[in-house]
Every structure is written in structure tokens, then in C-alpha cells.
Amino acid sequence: MKLLIVARTCARQSITQGVDRIVSCTREELILKCIDSLIKSANNCNHEITVKILDDNSDDEFLVKLNSILIKSKHPVYLTRLETTGFNHSAHAQFSEGLNAEELVYFVEDDYFHTEDAIDSMINFYISGVTHNYKKFNAIAIYPYDCPHRYWDGCIDPAILFYQGDRYWRTIKHTAFTVMMHSNIVRSFWNIFESVALGYPSITEKDSINLLYSNLVDHGGPVACFSPIPSLANH
């Protein structure tokens, strides 16, 4: 299975952006640790992988540190410094890469810390066929984080559980911009991906890509979306 990993980095922003984090480090340290975990996870996978990093105008000192991590990749890796700055432009550039992917594409934000088996586990779940009983939902998306918010009072959605590999996988209907899927989904629903990339934050995930997802129970989007239990990436 071929996988294109497309990650966005930006060391210029605040680490919190108004949200408490479980880590105590600088934005730069957070990104470097997360990208390092992504590279290590990809290195533990023997599928055909290409890694592309799109950087939003971080300074030269940070890029030197980032490159020292990327050279550890056993897979082809490319670092592009975007000419135009800003979240909307980088998000659009990231989704645009997915249009040209041959098979799977994994869009990654720079604040997800991956387990060493994350990439391999997600690909193996995708190709396992464990969901084949739900043929009408043959399009699959995977969000690597078992978000605690899904278990808050008032936020619990019905779900179907599958067991594959060494963990359960639950159907969900919400992801962030970090998500793995087949590139055919990006091409088929490009207007939705483009709208959230260019319109964020006026247009959010809930107004766009989350409308594509089905948890196979009470939400009928065209894409069956799953997350692992426990998480394969912490956010």
C-alpha cells in the first residue's frame, strides 16, 4: 500500500492558542518531538511511504533542527518552505497534495505525538477488510487520537466497535485536520476540503469534512470514520 504523509509545521505560533496542553515545552520543542515521533513511526512501517513537510515560514534555526530529524527517515522525505504565510494557505497546500496521492494520504498537524506503531497500525486496519460487512461504507477515514471529549457528558455518540490488530477501533464522526484516508475521497469531495482550508475559522471541521463521516449508527455520511482505542497519537 502506498502512503503519502503530508505534515504542516509552523514554529511561529503560540503553543496553547488558548487551550491548555498536557506538555510543558516551547512550541518549537513540541513540533520537533512530534515530527520526530512521526518519522520514527513511519520508519517502523514497511509499506511504500513518502513524507512531505510543508513549513509555514519558520526561521532558519528551526529548519536546521527540523532537517536533522528528517534525515533519519528511511523513506523519501521532502521539506518545502511555503512562499505565502498563514494557516489558510498552508492548509490548502496540504490538502492539495492529497489530490495527487496515488493511494492513501495522511494529513498531519504538527502537534500530534505518534506511537512507534501508529502508521503501520493505521495502514493495516485500512487494508484488513474488517469493515467489509458494511459494504456501502467502503470509503474509510482514520483519526489516530481517541479524543477524551467523546466521553464527556452530553458528547457521547453511538458507535460500532471492531477488533483488529491488538486494539479496538470505534466509529466516529468528528476529526481535526489530522486524518488518514484514500486520496479518492479528497478528489471526490475537493470542494469541501478546499472550503474549510480557505474559510477556516469561519468554516470549521464540523461545517465541512465532518459532514462526510459516518459512525455507521446515526450519521449517514459517505465515509466511515474510525479511531483506535487506545490512541495511536496524542494531541
Side-chain angles (χ1 to χ4, degrees), residues 17 25 43 46 107 132 153 156 161 168 174 178 195 218 227:
Q17 297 183 28
C25 63
N43 282 347
N46 290 322
F107 301 118
H132 280 182
D153 288 345
I156 299 175
L161 293 178
Y168 284 97
H174 303 93
T178 293
S195 69
D218 66 351
S227 65

Side-chain angles (χ1 to χ4, degrees), residues 103-195:
E103 294 182 322
L104 292 181
V105 59
Y106 183 31
F107 301 118
V108 190
E109 295 160 290
D110 61 11
D111 52 357
Y112 283 76
F113 189 89
H114 291 74
T115 63
E116 291 188 354
D117 62 339
I119 302 301
D120 198 52
S121 294
M122 286 192 285
I123 294 177
N124 287 339
F125 175 77
Y126 183 89
I127 65 179
S128 68
V130 70
T131 65
H132 280 182
N133 286 338
Y134 296 86
K135 285 289 188 181
K136 65 177 180 177
F137 297 104
N138 55 0
I140 291 175
I142 301 172
Y143 181 55
Y145 181 47
D146 185 34
C147 182
H149 296 180
R150 297 199 194 104
Y151 302 94
W152 289 358
D153 288 345
C155 297
I156 299 175
D157 290 320
I160 295 177
L161 293 178
F162 296 86
Y163 192 82
Q164 189 278 327
D166 59 354
R167 67 188 66 236
Y168 284 97
W169 299 77
R170 62 166 289 176
T171 56
I172 61 173
K173 56 184 181 182
H174 303 93
T175 74
F177 277 49
T178 293
V179 62
M180 180 184 289
M181 59 182 59
H182 199 283
S183 56
N184 284 339
I185 296 175
V186 184
R187 288 186 284 269
S188 296
F189 300 100
W190 173 242
N191 61 318
I192 292 177
F193 288 91
E194 185 173 46
S195 69

Side-chain angles (χ1 to χ4, degrees), residues 28 55 57-67 81:
E28 179 181 298
D55 184 78
N57 288 268
S58 301
D59 61 35
D60 292 339
E61 183 179 353
F62 169 80
L63 293 179
V64 169
K65 296 176 183 177
L66 181 59
N67 266 310
R81 195 171 190 176

